[in-house]
């Protein structure tokens, strides 16, 4: 998978992509992540990429030219399966969406900034608009980092045990059940006997029951 990210603050993304699972994916050649500075396509020598809002109002808006120039250049090099704009008014990122994106080969992610981007970019280029939650961040960079992590970890060969991703919360519309490791007893709290029994069918049954109970308690909307 190749991911190209358009941003005016690439420095914010260097660290998240230089560690842990995302770094492993890149080291294995399973994912390429390329950061592109929007100011490299600025409209003047001052590095301008934004302008005032037509009709008045507070805040600045990213201009069309720097974004369009970058997308046109990238699309001239290869086809893209998705051009994603990270925005608070987009589709909320959920596991099924991450699953679908993980099947793609080439993706562009656009990080908004200031008040956002000119609407004509959204109408002309954007195929997916995604939000990481019902709140506003200073820019789309942190949202892009979340989206990349959620997608890249699903690529075959990235995780040491590929079944691990399939048992995560939300994969079956349930929260994950409680999990334990050694020691079997700690400060008077013992691991449930069923998990020590070696009876795999009974263990899976217990885990499913626990997942249902936890989901009912914490996220009943998922069951609906």
């Amino acid at each position: 998978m190749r991911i190209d990210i358009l941003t005016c603050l690439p420095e914010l993304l260097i660290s998240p992509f230089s560690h842990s699972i995302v770094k492993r994916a890149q080291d294995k050649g399973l994912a390429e992540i390329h950061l592109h500075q929007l100011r490299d396509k600025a409209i003047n020598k001052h590095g301008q990429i934004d302008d005032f809002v037509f009709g008045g109002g507070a805040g600045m808006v990213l201009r069309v030219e720097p974004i369009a120039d970058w997308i046109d250049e990238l699309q001239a090099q290869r086809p893209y399966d998705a051009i994603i704009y990270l925005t608070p008014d987009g589709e909320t990122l959920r596991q099924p969406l991450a699953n679908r994106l993980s099947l793609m080969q080439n993706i562009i992610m656009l990080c908004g900034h200031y008040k956002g981007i000119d609407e004509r970019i959204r109408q002309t280029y954007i195929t997916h608009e995604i939000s990481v939650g019902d709140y506003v961040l200073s820019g789309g960079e942190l949202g892009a980092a979340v989206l990349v992590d959620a997608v890249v970890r699903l690529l075959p060969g990235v995780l040491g045990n590929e079944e691990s991703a399939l048992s995560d919360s939300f994969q079956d519309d349930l929260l994950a059940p409680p999990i334990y490791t050694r020691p079997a007893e700690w400060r008077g709290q013992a691991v449930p006997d069923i998990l020590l029994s070696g009876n795999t069918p009974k263990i899976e049954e217990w885990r499913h029951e626990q997942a249902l109970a936890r989901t009912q308690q914490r996220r009943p909307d998922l069951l609906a």
Side-chain angles (χ1 to χ4, degrees), residues 177-184 189-192 195-196 206-207 210 214:
I179 55 175
Y180 300 86
T181 188
R182 295 180 178 87
Q189 302 178 61
V191 173
L195 298 178
L196 308 176
W206 179 88
R207 284 175 171 162
Q210 292 294 313
R214 178 164 286 189

Side-chain angles (χ1 to χ4, degrees), residues 55-75:
M60 305 291 281
V61 178
L62 287 175
R63 292 178 60 113
V64 296
E65 301 97 329
I67 299 171
D69 288 350
W70 262 124
I71 295 177
D72 289 344
E73 180 176 319
L74 291 170
Q75 286 187 315

Side-chain angles (χ1 to χ4, degrees), residues 34-53:
H34 300 270
L35 305 178
H36 305 283
Q37 170 60 266
L38 284 172
R39 295 191 188 279
D40 290 346
K41 305 290 187 182
I43 64 169
N44 56 37
K45 64 181 181 180
H46 304 294
Q48 183 182 356
I49 58 174
D50 62 331
D51 219 321
F52 296 104
V53 182

